[in-house]
Amino acid sequence: GNSVTQMEGPVTLSEEAFLTINCTYTATGYPSLFWYVQYPGEGLQLLLKATKADDKGSNKGFEATYRKETTSFHLEKGSVQVSDSAVYFCALIKPGAGSYQLTFGKGTKLSVIP
Amino acid sequence: DGGITQSPKYLFRKEGQNVTLSCEQNLNHDAMYWYRQDPGQGLRLIYYSQIVNDFQKGDIAEGYSVSREKKESFPLTVTSAQKNPTAFYLCASSITEGYTFGSGTRLTVV
């Protein structure tokens, strides 16, 4: 079946540091890949997505590139801010039989300190 | 503005009681989902519904029940058969790959 593995946290960085959160996936064919962000006490918000190999998703300074050869979708940001403190989820959708179910990784908690 | 509303935000349940979590959407989405979130476990799918009057079990459906009598509404009942119900519950709706999530209900057994 489909699965997503992302690096375990928590991750603590100083403001303006470089961020990488690793994500790899297992799925047949060509799934769509997503990063969601969850701020404390809230639901999930879509951060970025990519739907085919070599696509780069980007938003709010975050980027991730769909790498088919390494089945990866690592999240990066060049300079994190305190406001980026949240839990980040990597996820995939492998459409089938009219269903678009998300499969999530376990989440990585990021804390950014001033 | 369109969105998903979950209520209540916090819910306390005594052992042996059933409780119902509300989820309402005005996005005209056909599909709706319930997820359970525990620390370090990510999000696990409880139930989902692709159309009115139809729903399917997810990965952890035991101890839960749902109904989908209206397109806008997908309530989740946590029954007394659920042995460890304390968790954060998230509702979502989608049209193809575009998901919208509610702000969640935190359920605590006291």
Side-chain angles (χ1 to χ4, degrees):
Chain A
N2 302 330
S3 66
V4 175
T5 302
Q6 60 182 106
M7 63 184 286
E8 294 186 16
V11 175
T12 302
L13 296 174
S14 296
E15 206 165 21
E16 299 184 0
F18 185 86
L19 168 70
T20 300
I21 301 178
N22 290 336
C23 172
T24 57
Y25 68 89
T26 301
T28 56
Y30 296 90
S32 296
L33 302 175
F34 305 83
W35 278 100
Y36 281 87
V37 59
Q38 183 180 34
Y39 298 102
E42 297 184 10
L44 273 66
Q45 302 174 24
L46 178 64
L47 182 59
L48 53 84
K49 70 176 185 180
T51 58
K52 61 183 188 293
D54 299 325
D55 266 3
K56 177 185 285 188
S58 61
N59 186 26
K60 300 181 181 179
F62 291 89
E63 293 183 341
T65 300
Y66 190 144
R67 301 290 188 196
K68 181 68 176 173
E69 64 276 13
T70 54
T71 62
S72 65
F73 193 54
H74 304 321
L75 183 67
E76 298 182 335
K77 186 175 185 183
S79 176
V80 294
Q81 305 301 313
V82 172
S83 57
D84 294 326
S85 298
V87 180
Y88 293 82
F89 292 92
C90 186
L92 68 80
I93 289 178
K94 179 65 170 46
S99 171
Y100 295 85
Q101 288 187 38
L102 275 166
T103 299
F104 288 96
K106 292 188 175 182
T108 302
K109 183 176 182 180
L110 170 67
S111 297
V112 180
I113 54 177
Chain B
D1 285 341
I4 291 190
T5 301
Q6 288 188 244
S7 61
K9 190 171 180 67
Y10 298 96
L11 186 57
F12 297 89
R13 188 195 95 170
K14 293 183 179 180
E15 288 199 30
Q17 282 184 338
N18 293 354
V19 289
T20 297
L21 283 59
S22 171
C23 178
E24 303 277 334
Q25 55 103 354
N26 61 4
L27 299 164
N28 201 34
H29 287 173
D30 285 319
M32 296 188 74
Y33 310 81
W34 274 105
Y35 295 90
R36 172 178 170 143
Q37 185 176 14
D38 298 281
Q41 299 268 0
L43 279 77
R44 295 181 288 171
L45 183 64
I46 305 172
Y47 268 98
Y48 65 100
S49 167
Q50 292 181 259
I51 56 172
V52 175
N53 292 322
D54 186 55
F55 47 83
Q56 307 296 328
K57 292 182 179 180
D59 300 319
I60 56 165
E62 184 175 353
Y64 301 97
S65 65
V66 293
S67 63
R68 187 85 187 278
E69 297 177 0
K70 299 185 301 182
K71 189 174 187 177
E72 301 79 18
S73 179
F74 192 41
L76 173 74
T77 296
V78 184
T79 75
S80 56
Q82 171 49 239
K83 297 307 178 189
N84 184 22
T86 294
F88 190 58
Y89 292 86
L90 280 167
C91 179
S93 68
S94 77
I95 182 164
T96 63
E97 298 184 346
Y99 274 66
T100 301
F101 286 83
S103 57
T105 293
R106 185 165 298 280
L107 173 63
T108 304
V109 173
V110 296

